């Protein structure tokens, strides 16, 4: 459940931030049908997360909302930056005039729309390979059903951008742009996986209490620190007792050797027998 929530929140933040900025400042948006297609294909594929091979937690998962929301925002913001990278590169090769009267009829504008449709469909969707685990994505490979569903939806998206059906208000962008965008999206999810792993690694309750210093968080943090002090003190005293016990046992071992050692020692000692007043025999 946490995997799906992390993926869904990050994707939503990415989607909203990108289109808010692009519409406000660059007069850019996708056709309605392409947006609906993104939602249908991505949601249909994520349904098979129920049959994934993700590892089961050894302990019950706890809803750490601060960590969940923060990581979702970080991933969403990075996805937005990646999307704008594609947008500016495409706009460089296919320029258009923002806020022009008939900008939506411009071929370059439609070309960029098709490129961005594929990018927004693929890049966040591949991120689910990362969010499905709390550790590195390759620690537990996805099931074949899950893998085929994710790759299948992106093959459909790639065919749409290569063909460019007019009823979807798309134009053909060719194999170069299609494979390039898909390849970059695949590489970016591996980069975002590094970010996810290190956020999970360095996140702690102390950090949560520092970011959201509510009274309940501060009280809970103080109680945890007090328990830790007591635990460390008890552990230290136990180690001292064990060390003293080993020292006492070692001293007793030297003072009172075992019966086998005493028997060997007595067996090796010479026996002196007195025969007469002046003669002795040593055996």
């Amino acid at each position: 459940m946490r995997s799906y929530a992390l993926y869904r929140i990050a994707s939503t933040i990415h989607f909203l931030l990108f289109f808010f900025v692009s519409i406000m400042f660059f007069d850019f948006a996708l056709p309605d049908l392409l947006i609906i297609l993104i939602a249908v294909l991505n949601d249909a594929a994520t349904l098979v997360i129920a049959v994934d091979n993700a590892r089961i937690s050894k302990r019950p998962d706890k809803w750490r909302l601060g960590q969940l929301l923060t990581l979702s925002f970080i991933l969403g913001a990075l996805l937005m930056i990646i999307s704008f990278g594609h947008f500016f590169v495409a706009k460089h090769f296919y320029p258009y005039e923002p806020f022009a009267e008939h900008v939506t009829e411009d071929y370059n504008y439609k070309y960029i729309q098709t490129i961005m449709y594929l990018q927004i469909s693929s890049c966040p969707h591949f991120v689910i390979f990362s969010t499905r685990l709390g550790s590195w994505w390759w620690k537990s490979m996805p099931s074949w059903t899950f893998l085929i569903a994710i790759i299948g939806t992106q093959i459909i998206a790639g065919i749409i951008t290569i063909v460019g059906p007019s009823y979807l208000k798309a134009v053909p962008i060719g194999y170069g742009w299609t494979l390039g965008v898909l390849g970059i999206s695949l590489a970016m999810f591996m980069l975002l996986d590094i970010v996810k792993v290190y956020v999970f690694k360095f996140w702690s309750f102390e950090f949560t209490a520092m970011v959201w210093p509510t009274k309940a968080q501060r009280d809970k943090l103080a109680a945890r620190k007090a328990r830790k002090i007591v635990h460390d003190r008890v552990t230290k005293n136990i180690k001292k007792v064990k060390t003293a016990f080993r020292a006492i046992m070692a001293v007793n071992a030297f003072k009172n050797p075992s019966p086998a050692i005493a028997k060997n020692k007595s067996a090796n000692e010479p026996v002196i027998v007195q025969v007469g007043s002046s003669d002795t025999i040593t055996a």
Side-chain angles (χ1 to χ4, degrees), residues 47-283:
L47 290 176
V48 298
I49 197 171
V51 295
D52 189 24
N53 287 335
R55 293 180 177 178
I56 299 175
S57 302
K58 295 182 179 179
R59 297 180 179 179
D61 282 332
K62 184 178 180 181
W63 281 104
R64 304 176 67 179
L65 295 181
Q67 181 192 74
L68 176 67
L69 295 176
T70 302
L71 181 56
S72 298
F73 185 83
I74 292 173
L75 294 178
L78 291 175
L79 285 169
M80 180 197 67
I81 293 172
I82 295 169
S83 293
F84 271 112
H86 285 75
F87 174 75
F88 288 126
V89 170
K91 191 173 182 293
H92 173 76
F93 288 102
Y94 299 94
Y96 70 92
E97 187 63 32
F99 304 103
E101 187 176 353
H102 300 290
V103 65
T104 56
E105 302 301 324
D106 189 343
Y107 180 82
N108 286 356
Y109 186 84
K110 292 181 178 180
Y111 203 97
I112 298 174
Q113 282 182 322
T114 308
I115 292 174
M116 293 311 301
Y117 157 73
L118 181 60
Q119 198 279 329
I120 293 172
S121 175
S122 62
C123 195
H125 207 43
F126 285 141
V127 171
I128 198 171
F129 287 129
S130 172
T131 59
R132 55 187 286 272
L133 293 174
S135 59
W136 301 105
W137 68 272
W138 64 80
K139 293 291 186 179
S140 177
M141 299 303 292
S143 66
W144 281 107
T145 305
F146 184 77
L147 186 64
I148 291 171
I150 301 297
I151 300 300
T153 56
Q154 299 315 306
I155 291 175
I156 294 173
I159 292 173
I160 290 172
T161 57
I162 291 173
V163 176
S166 58
Y167 59 87
L168 292 176
K169 298 182 180 180
V171 296
I173 63 174
Y175 289 95
W177 277 101
T178 299
L179 295 178
V181 170
L182 290 175
I184 293 173
S185 297
L186 198 59
M188 287 300 101
F189 108 77
M190 299 180 188
L191 177 64
L192 295 177
D193 188 65
I194 298 174
V195 176
K196 175 211 67 180
V197 168
Y198 279 96
V199 169
F200 278 139
K201 181 178 180 180
F202 292 107
W203 192 281
S204 62
F205 182 80
E206 288 77 8
F207 183 75
T208 305
M210 182 182 67
V211 177
W212 289 279
T214 62
K215 185 179 184 304
Q217 297 279 32
R218 292 197 301 268
D219 293 343
K220 192 172 182 179
L221 179 61
R224 285 193 176 194
K225 287 183 177 180
R227 286 198 301 269
K228 187 176 185 303
I229 291 173
V230 173
H231 178 270
D232 292 343
R233 188 182 301 163
V234 171
T235 303
K236 187 176 180 180
N237 291 335
I238 291 174
K239 288 182 178 179
K240 288 181 178 179
V241 171
K242 287 182 177 180
T243 302
F245 178 75
R246 293 191 187 101
I248 293 171
M249 293 298 293
V251 171
N252 288 336
F254 280 109
K255 287 183 176 180
N256 303 311
S258 63
I261 296 176
K263 183 177 181 180
N264 292 336
K265 184 177 179 181
S266 61
N268 293 330
E269 290 179 352
V271 178
I272 301 174
V273 180
Q274 187 172 1
V275 178
S277 58
S278 60
D279 297 329
T280 61
I281 299 174
T282 302

Side-chain angles (χ1 to χ4, degrees), residues 6-25:
L6 179 59
Y7 161 73
R8 179 51 61 201
I9 297 172
S11 298
T12 303
I13 291 173
H14 160 244
F15 199 83
L16 294 177
L17 287 179
F18 175 79
F19 282 110
F20 174 79
V21 176
S22 66
I23 292 172
M24 289 291 293
F25 298 101

